Coordinates of all heavy atoms in Angstrom, one line a residue:
L157 N 12.9 10.6 -16.8 CA 14.2 10.5 -16.3 C 15.2 11.5 -16.9 O 16.2 11.8 -16.4 CB 14.8 9.1 -16.4 CG 14.2 8.0 -15.5 CD1 14.6 6.6 -16.0 CD2 14.5 8.3 -14.1
F158 N 14.8 12.0 -18.1 CA 15.7 12.9 -18.8 C 15.3 14.4 -18.5 O 16.0 15.3 -19.0 CB 15.5 12.7 -20.3 CG 16.2 11.5 -20.8 CD1 15.5 10.3 -20.9 CD2 17.5 11.5 -21.3 CE1 16.1 9.1 -21.3 CE2 18.1 10.3 -21.7 CZ 17.4 9.1 -21.7
A159 N 14.4 14.6 -17.6 CA 14.0 16.0 -17.1 C 15.0 16.4 -16.0 O 15.3 15.7 -15.1 CB 12.6 16.0 -16.6
R160 N 15.5 17.6 -16.1 CA 16.5 18.1 -15.2 C 15.9 18.3 -13.8 O 16.6 18.2 -12.8 CB 17.0 19.5 -15.6 CG 18.2 19.4 -16.5 CD 19.0 20.7 -16.6 NE 18.2 21.8 -17.2 CZ 18.3 23.0 -16.8 NH1 19.0 23.4 -15.8 NH2 17.6 24.0 -17.4
D161 N 14.6 18.5 -13.7 CA 13.9 18.6 -12.4 C 13.2 17.4 -12.0 O 12.3 17.4 -11.2 CB 13.0 19.9 -12.3 CG 12.1 19.9 -13.6 OD1 12.1 18.9 -14.4 OD2 11.5 21.0 -13.8
Y162 N 13.6 16.2 -12.5 CA 12.9 15.0 -12.3 C 12.8 14.7 -10.8 O 11.8 14.3 -10.3 CB 13.6 13.8 -13.0 CG 13.2 12.5 -12.6 CD1 12.1 11.9 -13.1 CD2 14.0 11.7 -11.6 CE1 11.6 10.6 -12.7 CE2 13.6 10.5 -11.2 CZ 12.4 9.9 -11.8 OH 12.0 8.7 -11.3
L163 N 13.9 14.7 -10.1 CA 14.0 14.3 -8.7 C 13.1 15.3 -7.8 O 12.3 14.9 -7.0 CB 15.4 14.3 -8.1 CG 16.3 13.2 -8.7 CD1 17.7 13.3 -8.3 CD2 15.7 11.8 -8.3
H164 N 13.4 16.6 -8.0 CA 12.6 17.6 -7.2 C 11.1 17.5 -7.4 O 10.3 17.5 -6.5 CB 13.2 19.0 -7.5 CG 12.3 20.1 -7.1 ND1 11.8 20.2 -5.8 CD2 11.7 21.1 -7.8 CE1 11.0 21.3 -5.7 NE2 11.0 21.8 -6.9
L165 N 10.7 17.4 -8.7 CA 9.3 17.4 -9.0 C 8.6 16.1 -8.6 O 7.5 16.0 -8.2 CB 9.0 17.7 -10.4 CG 9.3 19.2 -10.9 CD1 9.0 19.3 -12.3 CD2 8.6 20.2 -10.0
S166 N 9.4 15.0 -8.7 CA 8.9 13.7 -8.2 C 8.6 13.7 -6.7 O 7.6 13.3 -6.3 CB 9.9 12.6 -8.5 OG 10.1 12.4 -9.9
D167 N 9.5 14.3 -6.0 CA 9.4 14.4 -4.5 C 8.2 15.3 -4.1 O 7.5 15.0 -3.2 CB 10.7 14.8 -3.8 CG 11.8 13.7 -4.1 OD1 11.5 12.6 -4.6 OD2 12.9 14.0 -3.8
L168 N 8.1 16.4 -4.8 CA 7.0 17.3 -4.6 C 5.7 16.7 -4.8 O 4.7 16.8 -4.0 CB 7.2 18.6 -5.5 CG 6.2 19.7 -5.3 CD1 6.2 20.3 -3.9 CD2 6.6 20.8 -6.3
A169 N 5.6 15.9 -5.9 CA 4.4 15.2 -6.2 C 4.0 14.1 -5.1 O 2.9 13.9 -4.8 CB 4.5 14.5 -7.5
V170 N 5.1 13.5 -4.6 CA 4.8 12.5 -3.5 C 4.2 13.2 -2.3 O 3.2 12.7 -1.7 CB 6.2 11.8 -3.1 CG1 6.0 11.1 -1.7 CG2 6.6 10.9 -4.1
L171 N 4.7 14.4 -1.9 CA 4.2 15.2 -0.8 C 2.7 15.5 -1.0 O 1.8 15.3 -0.2 CB 5.0 16.4 -0.6 CG 4.4 17.4 0.4 CD1 4.5 16.8 1.8 CD2 5.2 18.8 0.4
I172 N 2.4 16.1 -2.2 CA 1.1 16.6 -2.5 C 0.1 15.4 -2.6 O -1.0 15.5 -2.1 CB 1.0 17.5 -3.7 CG1 1.9 18.7 -3.5 CG2 -0.4 17.9 -4.1 CD1 2.2 19.5 -4.8
R173 N 0.5 14.3 -3.2 CA -0.4 13.2 -3.3 C -0.7 12.6 -2.0 O -1.7 11.9 -1.8 CB 0.3 12.1 -4.2 CG 0.2 12.4 -5.7 CD 0.6 11.2 -6.6 NE 0.2 11.4 -7.9 CZ 1.1 11.6 -8.9 NH1 2.4 11.7 -8.6 NH2 0.7 11.7 -10.2
G174 N 0.2 12.7 -1.0 CA 0.0 12.2 0.3 C -1.0 13.0 1.1 O -1.7 12.4 2.0
I175 N -1.2 14.3 0.8 CA -2.1 15.1 1.5 C -3.4 15.4 0.8 O -4.5 15.4 1.4 CB -1.4 16.5 1.8 CG1 -0.3 16.2 2.9 CG2 -2.4 17.5 2.3 CD1 0.6 17.4 3.1
A176 N -3.4 15.5 -0.5 CA -4.6 15.9 -1.3 C -5.8 15.0 -1.1 O -6.9 15.6 -1.0 CB -4.2 15.9 -2.8
P177 N -5.7 13.7 -0.9 CA -6.9 12.9 -0.8 C -7.8 13.2 0.4 O -9.0 13.0 0.4 CB -6.4 11.4 -0.7 CG -5.1 11.5 -1.4 CD -4.5 12.8 -1.1
D178 N -7.2 13.8 1.5 CA -7.9 14.1 2.7 C -8.5 15.5 2.7 O -9.2 15.9 3.6 CB -7.0 14.0 3.9 CG -6.5 12.5 4.1 OD1 -7.3 11.6 3.8 OD2 -5.3 12.3 4.6
V179 N -8.2 16.3 1.6 CA -8.7 17.7 1.5 C -10.1 17.7 1.1 O -10.5 17.0 0.1 CB -7.8 18.5 0.6 CG1 -8.4 19.9 0.5 CG2 -6.4 18.5 1.1
R180 N -11.0 18.5 1.7 CA -12.4 18.7 1.3 C -12.6 20.2 1.2 O -11.8 21.0 1.7 CB -13.3 18.0 2.3 CG -13.2 16.5 2.4 CD -13.6 15.8 1.1 NE -13.6 14.4 1.2 CZ -12.5 13.7 0.9 NH1 -11.4 14.3 0.5 NH2 -12.5 12.3 0.9
G181 N -13.8 20.5 0.7 CA -14.2 21.9 0.6 C -13.6 22.6 -0.6 O -13.5 22.0 -1.7
I182 N -13.3 23.9 -0.4 CA -12.8 24.7 -1.6 C -11.3 25.0 -1.4 O -10.9 25.5 -0.4 CB -13.6 26.0 -1.7 CG1 -15.1 25.7 -1.8 CG2 -13.2 26.8 -2.9 CD1 -16.0 27.0 -1.8
V183 N -10.6 24.8 -2.5 CA -9.1 25.0 -2.5 C -8.8 26.3 -3.2 O -9.3 26.6 -4.3 CB -8.4 23.8 -3.2 CG1 -6.9 24.0 -3.3 CG2 -8.7 22.5 -2.5
F184 N -7.8 27.0 -2.6 CA -7.3 28.2 -3.3 C -5.8 28.0 -3.6 O -5.0 27.8 -2.7 CB -7.4 29.4 -2.3 CG -7.1 30.8 -3.0 CD1 -8.0 31.4 -3.8 CD2 -5.9 31.4 -2.8 CE1 -7.7 32.6 -4.5 CE2 -5.6 32.6 -3.3 CZ -6.5 33.2 -4.2
D185 N -5.5 27.9 -4.9 CA -4.1 27.7 -5.4 C -3.5 29.1 -5.5 O -3.7 29.8 -6.5 CB -4.1 26.9 -6.7 CG -2.7 26.4 -7.1 OD1 -1.8 27.0 -6.6 OD2 -2.7 25.5 -8.0
Y186 N -2.7 29.5 -4.6 CA -2.2 30.8 -4.5 C -0.8 31.0 -5.2 O 0.2 30.6 -4.6 CB -2.1 31.2 -3.0 CG -2.0 32.6 -2.6 CD1 -2.1 33.0 -1.3 CD2 -1.8 33.6 -3.6 CE1 -2.1 34.4 -0.9 CE2 -1.8 35.0 -3.2 CZ -1.9 35.3 -1.9 OH -1.9 36.7 -1.6
G187 N -0.9 31.6 -6.4 CA 0.3 31.6 -7.2 C 0.4 30.4 -8.1 O 1.4 29.7 -8.1

C-alpha cells in the first residue's frame, strides 16, 4: 500500500491474471 504505483500495478496484474491461465504454447514477452 506504500508503493506509489500500487493501484496501477494491482490493476495490471488483475488483467494479466485473468488471461494468462488460458494461454498455451510459446509466449514471447516483447520488451
Side-chain angles (χ1 to χ4, degrees):
L157 288 169
F158 289 88
R160 273 200 293 145
D161 44 14
Y162 168 80
L163 292 171
H164 163 54
L165 292 182
S166 294
D167 297 350
L168 184 57
V170 166
L171 172 67
I172 298 171
R173 282 192 168 107
I175 290 174
D178 296 327
V179 177
R180 296 294 183 272
I182 305 176
V183 177
F184 189 77
D185 189 342
Y186 199 168

